[in-house]
Amino acid sequence: MRAARLIKMVLLLQSRPSMSAAELAAELEVSERTVTRDAQALSEAGVPVYAERGRAGGYRLIGGYRTRLTGLARDEAEALFLSGLPSALREMGLEDAASAARLKVSAALLPSLRDASASAAQRFHLDAPSWYSEPETPAFLPAVADAVWDDRLLRARYRRGGGREHGREGDGGRTEVARELAPYGLVLKAGVWYLCARAGADFRVYRIDRFTSVEPADGRFERDESFDLPAFWDERAAEFARSLLRTEVTVRVSESGARQLAYTGDRSAAATALAKAPPAGPDGWRTVVLPVESLDVAYSQLLSLGPELEVVAPEELRSRFTEAAERLRELYR
């Protein structure tokens, strides 16, 4: 423990011209007295740590000293590639590894380049969760993440959801199933964590927050090197989106309505429907057959287009729009 702290202290001093005892204590999460003792230990070991007294004083390395202790451990190197996702690192339990990796890289850089990481962080930031939600970290995410990194088999119990999930038919209830999984990869989608895993001969997608128990199984699995996580996710996400569109409605849309249609539901489905639709008539309106999840969902989504859309069929949905229009008319008389 102390050896790792001493190495970190050297790297901190190597990456900055000087640091006060208070700054080092905060970075190392120790007391200032411990910083003093560690600096003395480094000096006795031959590391030229120099302490300057006074208000502007602090600790620094002299003589252009540079340590070669900058090699990245495996978990640090892997975490470094995820360092643009600080919230994801915290949730997977990799924040400390990423911090150590960034510090080692910073220490290895030339002095003129040491502000590169801070400069980039002030200019680019990825905020993964969706708006208007407070995502919670799934309890088993760190354990699942460890298994993904280590190619270790998992024994898990999973609570199925009703309906379909990513192209897989649910049982309509909330039953639990036991699975032995080969965890290939994690995906963070709009604040929700998913596991892409092989169960038997099939690859499937599981929501991490539906695991009710997770424990390492005996042994590791042989990873299929042809497995492409981004491509697999894109395919399953598209399959899932298509599976939701179980019915069709016929609508007429104005030129403005046609432009807004993509923002009311599934953008790909709207684009395909518009591409298949016949040209606009003399009044500039087009008739479009649009795939939708259900009539209730179509009502809530398409109503936002107001007078730029007319429902043609089915009659049940047209009647609901007619009623809504009459109620609006009464409100605004």
Side-chain angles (χ1 to χ4, degrees):
M1 185 70 177
R2 191 189 185 198
R5 189 175 71 242
L6 292 174
I7 291 172
K8 185 174 182 179
M9 184 174 179
V10 173
L11 293 172
L12 284 167
L13 293 174
Q14 185 173 306
S15 63
R16 307 180 195 180
S18 172
M19 293 185 71
S20 69
E23 290 172 333
L24 282 168
E27 289 280 359
L28 299 172
E29 299 181 348
V30 295
S31 67
E32 292 186 30
R33 180 171 295 184
T34 299
V35 168
T36 301
R37 289 198 296 265
D38 285 352
Q40 183 177 353
L42 287 172
S43 180
E44 292 172 356
V47 178
V49 178
Y50 178 72
E52 295 178 320
R53 299 185 180 276
R55 180 177 299 179
Y59 292 91
R60 63 185 179 89
L61 295 174
I62 61 175
Y65 178 85
R66 297 187 64 79
T67 177
R68 294 184 178 274
L69 295 174
T70 55
L72 296 179
R74 181 176 181 83
D75 62 337
E76 295 168 347
E78 291 169 334
L80 186 62
F81 288 100
L82 296 172
S83 59
L85 286 167
S87 61
L89 285 168
R90 284 194 300 272
E91 293 177 5
M92 289 190 292
L94 294 172
E95 186 175 24
D96 290 343
S99 176
R102 287 192 295 268
L103 183 59
K104 289 181 178 181
V105 171
S106 177
L109 292 174
L110 294 173
S112 61
L113 298 177
R114 285 178 188 161
D115 66 341
S117 60
S119 177
Q122 292 302 318
R123 288 165 173 79
F124 302 99
H125 175 68
L126 178 60
D127 184 11
S130 59
W131 288 102
Y132 313 120
S133 64
E134 292 293 335
E136 296 183 1
T137 303
F140 295 108
L141 177 59
V144 174
D146 284 346
V148 169
W149 287 123
D150 202 29
D151 292 343
R152 182 172 293 279
L153 293 168
L154 284 178
R155 283 191 297 268
R157 294 192 64 83
Y158 185 74
R159 186 180 69 253
R160 282 176 168 169
R164 296 174 64 88
E165 180 172 350
H166 285 261
R168 293 287 174 182
E169 191 69 44
D171 61 1
R174 289 286 180 175
T175 59
E176 285 189 5
V177 294
R179 293 282 186 268
E180 181 167 287
L181 303 174
Y184 269 66
L186 289 168
V187 175
L188 178 60
K189 170 70 172 178
V192 179
W193 285 95
Y194 296 88
L195 171 67
C196 301
R198 192 180 68 224
D202 298 329
F203 283 95
R204 301 188 180 186
V205 177
Y206 300 86
R207 277 185 62 142
I208 302 294
D209 58 8
R210 289 187 182 166
F211 284 116
T212 59
S213 70
V214 168
E215 61 180 15
D218 295 331
R220 293 177 171 82
F221 64 93
E222 190 71 27
R223 181 174 287 268
D224 182 353
E225 297 301 329
S226 66
F227 178 79
D228 185 330
L229 179 60
F232 171 79
W233 176 259
D234 288 345
E235 179 185 344
R236 286 303 171 88
E239 179 185 342
F240 176 57
R242 288 193 301 268
S243 74
L244 294 177
L245 306 178
R246 302 176 185 177
T247 189
E248 291 181 339
V249 298
T250 303
V251 299
R252 294 180 67 245
V253 289
S254 66
E255 183 178 347
S256 174
R259 290 196 300 269
Q260 298 176 54
L261 198 59
Y263 301 99
T264 62
D266 186 274
R267 182 170 298 190
S268 176
T272 301
L274 286 168
K276 292 180 178 179
D283 60 357
W285 285 56
R286 304 175 67 185
T287 300
V288 180
V289 178
L290 183 67
V292 294
E293 184 174 343
S294 68
L295 295 186
D296 286 339
V297 172
Y299 175 77
S300 63
Q301 292 176 340
L302 300 179
L303 195 62
S304 64
L305 270 64
E308 305 302 328
L309 176 141
E310 175 194 0
V311 174
V312 178
E315 184 58 36
E316 175 187 347
L317 185 60
R318 182 178 175 86
S319 296
R320 292 181 66 177
F321 269 69
T322 301
E323 179 186 354
E326 291 173 350
R327 290 167 59 193
L328 283 170
R329 181 174 180 275
E330 289 297 319
L331 286 173
Y332 288 97
R333 287 184 68 175

